[in-house]
Amino acid sequence: MPAPTPSVGAPCWIDLYSSDTAKATAFYGQLFGWTAEQPDPRFGGYFIFTKNGKAVAGCMLNDGTTGMDDTWTVYLMTDDIEATAAAAPANGGRVELAPMAVAENGSMAMIADPGQGRIGVWQPGVMQGFEVIGEQGTPAWFELHTRAYDASVDFYRTVFAWDVDVASDTPEFRYTTLGSGDNRRAGIMDATAYLPDGAPGFWTVYFEVADADAALEQIVELGGTVTQPAADTPYGRLAEAGDPTGTTFKLIAHE
């Protein structure tokens, strides 16, 4: 599969903030066939995971000084990071990390949307982002779960220029996507029914696997946990799991 074409507003990168990068390297290496490149001391030891030689994700040590939990972070692409950061508070969000250059690679920022969902922002330099997605062992879908559904849809439409498509608008299932049909790149789900009052929204990553049930068995063998058993849906067989430090992610197995 050719490298994904970068698109303004669309997910372009993910990275893992982990309190045990050695465990993470072993776990994702065995589960998804990833290889860890050497950490870059210029960027605090940040390193890249590759799949068959193609960049698929990043990883950074969580040393506990920030007070943040281990987490996967999704980054959306922008062509003007200063303007994107300025638009966040003007549309109900906030800037958590002001735009900063990452040498020749590009520029990054962290913002929060109206439902307190944290999202990374990336303006590419020499580093465009993913070199492969949608294949087995690589990211396949990106999704925001939020109680502030309407405000969040407006936020991403305005701040990231999303071309939004309402996939479902029933009381049981409200869901909006970036793009439509085969061009869908990410989704926003109304999580009011299952997130408690005051709970912040969150982005989650789905990784493509051949067999969700077999992947869950392997995850347990590798020291991870099953947080949601595999279940059939109109979108594929889905599951959720945690890695050895408890960082959650989702699996998707398409027919």
Side-chain angles (χ1 to χ4, degrees):
M1 181 179 292
T5 302
S7 175
V8 169
C12 63
W13 190 242
I14 57 172
D15 59 26
L16 174 66
Y17 196 46
S18 176
S19 53
D20 194 325
T21 56
K23 281 185 178 179
T25 296
F27 176 83
Y28 292 101
Q30 294 180 71
L31 180 63
F32 294 140
W34 292 359
T35 299
E37 295 188 346
Q38 287 297 312
D40 192 328
R42 295 181 299 163
F43 310 124
Y46 191 95
F47 63 93
I48 303 296
F49 285 118
T50 62
K51 170 81 173 180
N52 298 326
K54 297 180 179 180
V56 69
C59 188
M60 177 76 175
L61 175 66
N62 178 4
D63 63 7
T65 58
T66 65
M68 288 178 52
D69 293 332
D70 289 2
T71 188
W72 278 103
T73 298
V74 177
Y75 291 78
L76 303 183
M77 180 182 163
T78 182
D79 57 3
D80 188 336
I81 199 165
E82 296 290 346
T84 300
N91 289 277
R94 67 178 184 273
V95 177
E96 296 196 338
L97 177 66
M100 58 178 288
V102 188
E104 69 281 1
N105 296 311
S107 297
M108 67 164 292
M110 294 295 302
I111 64 178
D113 62 33
Q116 304 177 63
R118 298 179 71 253
I119 185 73
V121 187
W122 182 249
Q123 181 174 338
V126 298
M127 175 60 175
Q128 294 291 304
F130 300 119
E131 293 180 336
V132 59
I133 58 173
E135 297 182 2
Q136 289 183 24
T138 73
W141 188 245
F142 316 88
E143 189 172 79
L144 172 66
H145 295 235
T146 181
R147 290 180 60 89
Y149 176 77
D150 292 320
S152 295
V153 170
D154 288 342
F155 180 87
Y156 288 95
R157 177 168 45 205
T158 303
V159 176
F160 288 98
W162 275 28
D163 175 20
V164 300
D165 182 71
V166 178
S168 178
D169 195 28
T170 66
E172 297 79 20
F173 184 51
R174 301 178 73 204
Y175 200 91
T176 291
T177 60
L178 162 60
S180 60
D182 292 340
N183 294 319
R184 283 182 264 188
R185 304 292 296 274
I188 300 174
M189 180 182 289
D190 185 352
T192 305
Y194 57 88
L195 283 183
D197 288 345
F202 61 91
W203 279 86
T204 189
V205 183
Y206 290 76
F207 294 100
E208 186 76 32
V209 293
D211 185 325
D213 299 270
L216 290 178
E217 290 182 8
Q218 185 181 14
I219 284 167
V220 173
E221 292 171 357
L222 294 171
T225 56
V226 176
T227 52
Q228 290 181 7
D232 290 323
T233 77
Y235 312 102
R237 190 159 174 81
L238 309 181
E240 184 182 80
D243 68 18
T245 72
T247 313
T248 58
F249 58 93
K250 293 183 181 289
L251 304 173
I252 183 167
H254 289 99
E255 293 295 334

